[in-house]
Amino acid sequence: MSRTVYVNGEYLPEEDAKISIFDRSFLMADGVYEVTSVLGRKLIDFDGHLARLERSLTELDMQKPEAFDDLLAIHRKLVELNDIEDGMIYLQVSRGSAGDRDFVFPDSDVVKPTLVLFTQSKPGLADSPAARAGIKVISIDDIRWGRRDIKTVQLLYPSMGKMAAKKAGCDDAWMVEDGFVTEGTSNNAYIVKNGKIITRQLSNDILHGITRAAVLRFAREAQMEVEERPFTIEEAKAADEGFVTSASTFVFPVVEIDGVKLGDGTPGPVAKRLREIYLEESLKSAI
Ligand code: PDD
């Protein structure tokens, strides 16, 4: 069934939605995005995603789209128009189209940003088989650029990482730089050792996950010990358990890294508990 999508102020059937071939997200990956999950027709962590979008735009000196203050209403309207019970809303802002290809940014008084949103329906999103069974990851070199804190649409390398994982019979890849894990291809990475949750501290090296912020807050509130520091891939393979967080997965246990089982190779208690707490608490504050 055709979705209704949003493009620059209009709600359109997906087959009628169009942007220019000169759009800078298409030619230069000059765009940023957000993915917000929907559970029970409500938006999870919307304010966090909006705040990060604003930060991404500022860091790239990109104008806010005119409809920035209407984004909550636009998200809600798309949920309604597409009858989304559970799923995701994808939002992308690009620097727009100057009607030609040029490395130099166009004049922002003349060229306005492109704003696109669409829904992805995922019935039962909070009850996926991967959450019960856990996922297997491989490790790959992190060869991405140095501003991974900005949520840009340059996703070729993460996409290649996901394909390498698939080829190896796994679900995802953890990226490693100078021996230390940065993050997953589309999620933040954690290990658990002797009950302590260890995850890399925030910097330009990783995306500042909205789910990460919430999960660490809930973990601390539940008196769990959290240490924000880099960990090596060897330390990860010797951990009791592992997990990842993102808006689309919430918390997924990691049960294997490069063929090495973590603990007994089944989802660990800390990951399971954090998933429960995250879903319970974020549903309470969903809007
Ligand atoms: N990915 N790290 C990377 C590289 C990511 O792409 C993502 C999110 C995260 C987790 O961030 P958050 O908790 O705010 O979703 C961490 C989204 C879901 C995606 O690209 O589909």
Side-chain angles (χ1 to χ4, degrees):
M1 204 182 76
S2 167
R3 282 173 282 198
T4 300
V5 303
Y6 176 96
V7 183
N8 292 331
E10 286 187 287
Y11 294 90
L12 300 164
E14 62 184 53
E15 53 283 2
D16 297 339
K18 290 186 176 51
I19 62 164
S20 167
I21 62 158
F22 301 114
D23 195 277
R24 289 183 58 89
S25 59
F26 179 60
L27 297 177
M28 306 272 173
D30 188 0
V32 298
Y33 76 107
E34 283 297 329
V35 176
T36 304
S37 56
V38 178
L39 289 178
R41 313 183 85 86
K42 288 190 169 168
L43 301 162
I44 303 293
D45 273 334
F46 179 80
D47 291 344
H49 289 285
L50 194 71
R52 185 174 59 194
L53 173 66
E54 189 167 9
R55 179 180 182 277
S56 294
L57 293 169
T58 305
E59 292 299 307
L60 293 176
D61 200 16
M62 207 184 284
Q63 255 192 318
K64 273 190 199 173
E66 229 169 76
F68 189 85
D69 293 336
D70 304 328
L71 283 175
L72 176 58
I74 296 170
H75 277 71
R76 284 177 163 161
K77 184 148 187 192
L78 285 175
V79 168
E80 187 193 310
L81 290 173
N82 293 288
D83 200 17
I84 304 294
E85 184 66 31
D86 299 327
M88 274 103 70
I89 303 196
Y90 177 87
L91 171 159
Q92 180 170 323
V93 182
S94 84
R95 206 180 301 273
S97 160
D100 201 355
R101 181 175 181 269
D102 190 345
F103 282 79
V104 174
F105 291 175
D107 181 349
S108 60
D109 288 337
V110 181
V111 175
K112 297 296 165 196
T114 302
L115 174 64
V116 169
L117 289 96
F118 59 81
T119 55
Q120 293 182 291
S121 178
K122 306 267 177 196
L125 179 65
D127 188 31
S128 53
R132 270 171 272 131
I135 61 167
K136 296 177 182 176
V137 304
I138 59 166
S139 62
I140 57 171
D141 284 343
D142 195 339
I143 60 163
R144 296 172 302 160
W145 77 326
R147 291 302 307 273
R148 303 158 192 161
D149 57 310
I150 308 172
K151 200 163 171 59
T152 74
V153 297
Q154 306 175 59
L155 295 175
L156 180 56
Y157 188 66
S159 181
M160 289 167 73
K162 209 75 106 175
M163 291 310 295
K166 208 174 153 184
K167 207 169 160 193
C170 293
D171 307 286
D172 205 354
W174 278 10
M175 294 179 279
V176 178
E177 190 170 53
D178 301 329
F180 293 96
V181 174
T182 52
E183 58 189 333
T185 59
S186 60
N187 43 59
N188 290 115
Y190 309 73
I191 55 171
V192 181
K193 189 71 181 177
N194 300 325
K196 190 195 285 177
I197 300 160
I198 302 161
T199 193
R200 196 178 177 105
Q201 73 279 14
L202 297 181
S203 70
N204 292 352
D205 298 337
I206 61 168
L207 186 74
H208 302 188
I210 303 306
T211 321
R212 176 189 183 280
V215 163
L216 292 186
R217 189 173 72 247
F218 298 144
R220 287 180 171 121
E221 282 169 9
Q223 314 300 326
M224 294 175 175
E225 208 185 331
V226 176
E227 196 179 349
E228 294 181 67
R229 64 155 173 89
F231 58 86
T232 64
I233 193 73
E234 285 74 30
E235 188 181 3
K237 287 176 193 170
D240 301 327
E241 48 176 303
F243 62 94
V244 295
T245 65
S246 75
S248 50
T249 62
F250 312 119
V251 179
F252 272 1
V254 171
V255 294
E256 206 177 288
I257 303 173
D258 290 335
V260 177
K261 283 188 171 52
L262 302 191
D264 65 2
T266 63
V270 174
K272 278 201 243 175
R273 176 98 187 89
L274 282 174
R275 181 176 175 87
E276 277 167 21
I277 303 177
Y278 177 78
L279 284 172
E280 197 182 309
E281 292 300 320
S282 47
L283 272 170
K284 274 190 216 159
S285 57
I287 57 172

